[in-house]
Amino acid sequence: MPYHLPQDKPVSLRERLYLSEAIRGLRILTSHFVRNFFFTRETNPDILARSRKLSLNATLAYPEEKVPYPPGYRGLHRLVPREDGKPRCVACYMCATACPAQCIYIEAGELDGDPIEKYPTQFIIDELRCVVCGFCVEACPKDAIRMDSGEHSPPTYERSQQVWDIKRLLRGTPVSYQYDPWLRRGASSIPEDKLAEMRANARPFHTVATDEYAQTPGFSVKALAAEARARAEAKK
Amino acid sequence: MAHEGKGTGGLDTTATPGSLGAGQPSHPIGTAPEAAFGEVPEAFSPREMDAPLHAKRMIVNMGPSHPAMHGVTRAVVALEGETIADMKLDIGFLHRGFEKSCENATWTQCFPYTDRLNYISAIMNNTGFALAVEKLCRLDIPDRAKYLRVVGSEIHRICDHLTLVSAMGLELGAMTVFLYGIEARDLLWDRLAELCGARLTSSYCRIGGVSRDAPEGWIEKTTASLDRVNELVGEISGLLTRNRIFLDRTRDTGKVSREDAIDLGFAGPCLRASGEPYDIRKAAPYLVYDRLDFDIPVGEHGDNFDRYLVRMEEIRQSDRILRQCFQQMEPGEIAVKDFHYVLPPKPQVYGTIEGLMAHFKLIMDGIQVPAGEAYSYTEAANGELGFYVVSDGGGRPYKLGLRAPGWPMLAALPYMVKGSLLADLIPTFDSINMIGGEVEQ
């Protein structure tokens, strides 16, 4: 329901006198001033969690105190490594395609006779062009690029230092999933003992397609699978 | 120093207001100076000295880099004394070709562009654009996503109004108000960073839903933040609402009558301050606004003070909406389960060929929006935010038009300030809340 503004009333004589209103305003300011001046500031970086009993100060002494970025914050990119130190990236160009700022440049190399097949020889992100939308992370089908570094791109003196190449981007904790093709089918570029270790550490992931995600009318993953099974049995 | 001549610089200590410039001898009033620039005015007669000052129009450039001209707007003001005789606006310093840029990006890639329209309330722009495309696709998004969009929009509405009120206070000399307002806004932005991963450029919505769900404990934290914001808003109100300096500068300045406001195409808080109770959230409810109980504050005079009050009241109403949303929200899906529009969930992409193919198609070709045109209008913080989208059935917008909420108000500014004092331009410019990003696109 529309309602009229409650405080839009003409200036009363008391307000016209100015002094009483000035004192009322000063009372608000003084309460802040006294509390912030005589009581020490809390240094809890979570400003909401600070107790507001004594000091009302909501500031941070920035370079010394920093607010940790929340989980899920879109920070500086990183290329997720495998356990053998190589990037998980298979140079499919999905992130470069999804990027609205066209800040990702990839050059692909080929691995002969290896199920991994492709790998990035160059992976360059221009952090000055990046608009930090996080689309590259969503677009990656291999979980190879993430923005979970918890930091923003550091200031530099030169533009060229904002162009991050694979050497600087490849960092952080390595990740392996059980469905990773190099774990399932083996890879000649990864040493055998390393591969065994990676297999042991790999995280499980649901790999079963479900019918609820099939969008084509009448299409059913389960029905197709049952059909294929029936055909295989018939051959036997 | 007298030999240096005019225009060569240096200070002439003998120069008086009557002299022709540095290095030139002064002349006593009443005698004709040498003709330096051709025509020489007649000497003053004693009678002319008594006459009122001959007022020549003075052209003053406000902006583009004037602290009170938010963003970069240039106002050319012709002054007669201290009265504004005429005014011209010069915009476009922030023009980035929004519409054309979007036509070269896939539907999803437009979201970062919409973030940067009204950069103080990005989620409202995201929502407006997403609703336009969903209208074209005839998509109905899950309830949870609708609530999350409303929550994001209303938090951003509070941020936007807080920014306006505090900037208005700052430019009328109340620095403290700005500090309180920014403290409150910062708290909300921290919550938004937890929700969507960025403080300012949220990119929160997607076609068919939102990008992520609210993290655990977020609602409690946001409610606590809102309590704190309410406290600060109360203090700001205590400092400004009955403050005589503030009242004197905002009352009866920048007045727009109800009829004029409608004729000039006003929308949003500025229209409501003029007395027209029009709010798109009530007139054509979108998302879940029809399930929420809130009121529309309406002003009477349409002056700057009313516009300020409408915003203060709307902060309180948004607070009401948010608390209701938190009560009504139920866990559920945050995006439609349709690979045509929304990227498949990651397990599907990593593990199944169907998910992977849908994922590749969506990113390479973009969402295939059915051919047609649609106009979505939503209530943004400054007024009606309209997205007009035309699709030729492909993955990119064929044409995209934007009705910037701040533009009609900014275009009306010369009418609003004509005949008023130059000092009234500042509160008037503040109270229409012009945001360069959306007006200049």
Side-chain angles (χ1 to χ4, degrees), chain B residues 97-305:
Chain B
F98 164 75
E99 296 176 0
K100 213 68 200 167
S101 307
C102 285
E103 285 161 28
N104 291 312
T106 60
W107 293 99
T108 315
Q109 283 176 348
C110 292
F111 282 110
Y113 286 114
T114 58
D115 277 346
R116 286 150 181 85
L117 286 175
N118 184 344
Y119 31 78
I120 301 175
S121 47
I123 293 184
M124 277 195 264
N125 305 325
N126 291 169
T127 307
F129 179 73
L131 283 174
V133 182
E134 281 157 15
K135 213 180 227 182
L136 216 49
C137 302
R138 291 177 182 76
L139 266 184
D140 189 32
I141 63 167
D143 262 8
R144 173 100 179 161
K146 285 182 186 170
Y147 276 108
L148 282 170
R149 281 184 185 180
V150 170
V151 165
S153 300
E154 294 304 322
I155 291 182
H156 258 150
R157 193 185 307 277
I158 296 180
C159 291
D160 205 307
H161 289 346
L162 275 173
T163 313
L164 171 123
V165 167
S166 33
M168 197 163 168
L170 175 74
E171 277 147 30
L172 299 184
M175 177 86 185
T176 322
V177 171
F178 185 73
L179 296 177
Y180 293 175
I182 295 304
E183 185 190 330
R185 192 179 77 172
D186 222 53
L187 268 178
L188 292 177
W189 273 356
D190 284 348
R191 298 294 85 74
L192 284 172
E194 286 159 12
L195 178 67
C196 51
R199 287 161 57 86
L200 203 63
T201 50
S202 54
S203 296
Y204 186 50
C205 297
R206 297 284 184 276
I207 290 154
V210 292
S211 63
R212 43 175 108 161
D213 206 341
E216 212 169 301
W218 185 79
I219 289 177
E220 290 74 34
K221 271 183 112 175
T222 313
T223 318
S225 305
L226 283 174
D227 292 339
R228 178 80 199 106
V229 168
N230 274 352
E231 256 175 64
L232 283 162
V233 167
E235 279 175 348
I236 291 173
S237 175
L239 288 176
L240 285 185
T241 307
R242 302 313 294 171
N243 181 333
R244 208 185 128 200
I245 301 174
F246 187 75
L247 278 170
D248 284 349
R249 289 205 61 182
T250 52
R251 269 257 160 96
D252 293 326
T253 58
K255 237 177 158 170
V256 184
S257 71
R258 184 177 180 162
E259 292 74 30
D260 284 351
I262 294 170
D263 285 350
L264 288 165
F266 278 25
C270 292
L271 179 66
R272 292 194 282 278
S274 297
E276 177 71 27
Y278 175 70
D279 189 319
I280 296 168
R281 290 175 294 173
K282 285 280 187 198
Y286 53 97
L287 297 175
V288 290
Y289 281 112
D290 48 349
R291 297 179 215 170
L292 302 165
D293 177 32
F294 63 101
D295 300 320
I296 311 170
V298 172
E300 271 172 76
H301 315 294
D303 54 4
N304 291 330
F305 186 65

Side-chain angles (χ1 to χ4, degrees), chain B residues 295-356:
Chain B
D295 300 320
I296 311 170
V298 172
E300 271 172 76
H301 315 294
D303 54 4
N304 291 330
F305 186 65
D306 271 5
R307 269 173 244 149
Y308 154 79
L309 275 184
V310 163
R311 258 123 179 166
M312 291 299 273
E313 278 301 307
E314 278 194 7
I315 293 178
R316 297 189 181 107
Q317 295 298 338
S318 290
D319 183 82
R320 256 178 88 190
I321 294 177
L322 281 169
R323 282 165 205 271
Q324 286 175 46
C325 280
F326 292 152
Q327 280 184 350
Q328 294 180 13
M329 255 160 74
E330 274 165 20
E333 293 289 324
I334 54 158
V336 291
K337 276 186 179 178
D338 191 341
F339 290 178
H340 283 121
Y341 301 107
V342 178
L343 289 178
K346 281 290 176 272
Q348 309 282 312
V349 180
Y350 298 158
T352 68
I353 191 68
E354 200 200 19
L356 189 71

Side-chain angles (χ1 to χ4, degrees), chain B residues 395-426:
Chain B
R396 284 150 206 267
Y398 178 75
K399 175 81 188 90
L400 195 141
L402 170 75
R403 185 214 189 266
W407 171 235
M409 274 77 87
L410 186 69
L413 191 63
Y415 301 97
M416 286 155 79
V417 297
K418 204 171 277 183
S420 62
L421 296 179
L422 178 63
D424 293 342
L425 174 63
I426 303 298

